[in-house]
Amino acid sequence: MTSEAMAKDSPTAKRGRGRQSKFTAVMSKEVKFLAEKGCTDADLAEFFAVSESTLNNWKISHPEFFEAMKEGKAVADAKVERSLFEKATGFSHPDSHVSNFQGTVTVTPVVKHYPPDTTACIFWLKNRKPQEWRDKTDVQATHTGEVKIVIGGNV
């Protein structure tokens, strides 16, 4: 075997140009978990100690990593959407009330009620039905001199 061939087979031989990637297969599981917790691309890059451009390169060169990230972000988005819906429509949940009277601690099960929130309703409707719930007001003049005022997409 020639010295060139031995150098190519050496574990310390350089493969291609540049530094070896920090990417490992375990990162696909980690990225899904972190994305489910609401981490942004900047947060993920910081966690993996790489730049955002490196993270973007991993999305391209490792499809399983990109899919895991998308799945995790979808879980987080669905959780926020559900929370916004519950805030807009009102909700109830079981809870406990803890009290102490003359040294006796009492835990009483209760149901907490939260009424619908107007701001959450407006936000939901503006995003789900923008033509009907937008803030924009249009004033339209026709060639006959007629003036139409359009508020929120309705005439």
Side-chain angles (χ1 to χ4, degrees):
M1 188 179 262
T2 66
S3 61
E4 287 179 17
M6 288 174 59
K8 285 182 183 177
D9 292 337
S10 166
T12 58
K14 213 172 185 187
R15 295 186 180 112
R17 295 187 342 209
R19 206 177 316 161
Q20 189 173 5
S21 176
K22 292 182 177 181
F23 185 83
T24 64
V26 174
M27 290 178 171
S28 293
K29 290 181 182 174
E30 291 174 326
V31 78
K32 183 177 181 191
F33 175 80
L34 293 167
E36 285 176 359
K37 302 300 177 211
C39 289
T40 64
D41 283 7
D43 297 331
L44 296 170
E46 184 178 339
F47 177 81
F48 292 121
V50 298
S51 66
E52 282 190 67
S53 61
T54 297
L55 190 75
N56 290 330
N57 289 337
W58 288 354
K59 291 179 196 178
I60 295 166
S61 59
H62 303 284
E64 71 284 356
F65 179 81
F66 184 52
E67 286 303 314
M69 183 187 293
K70 284 192 332 187
E71 288 173 16
K73 287 182 176 185
V75 169
D77 291 347
K79 187 174 182 180
V80 171
E81 288 172 9
R82 185 75 202 154
S83 296
L84 176 61
F85 176 78
E86 288 178 352
K87 181 88 171 168
T89 59
F91 65 100
S92 300
H93 72 88
D95 201 356
S96 299
H97 178 265
V98 180
S99 59
N100 181 358
F101 180 70
Q102 296 180 347
T104 303
V105 175
T106 308
V107 178
T108 309
V110 296
V111 175
K112 285 196 173 181
H113 300 281
Y114 296 89
D117 180 77
T118 307
T119 305
C121 292
I122 292 167
F123 185 80
W124 180 272
L125 291 169
K126 283 183 179 184
N127 283 283
R128 295 281 289 226
K129 296 183 168 193
Q131 290 302 315
E132 298 172 38
W133 288 90
R134 65 183 177 173
D135 287 331
K136 186 176 179 182
T137 302
D138 290 333
V139 177
Q140 301 170 347
T142 64
H143 66 282
T144 61
E146 181 184 353
V147 176
K148 291 182 185 177
I149 298 176
V150 181
I151 300 172
N154 297 321
V155 180

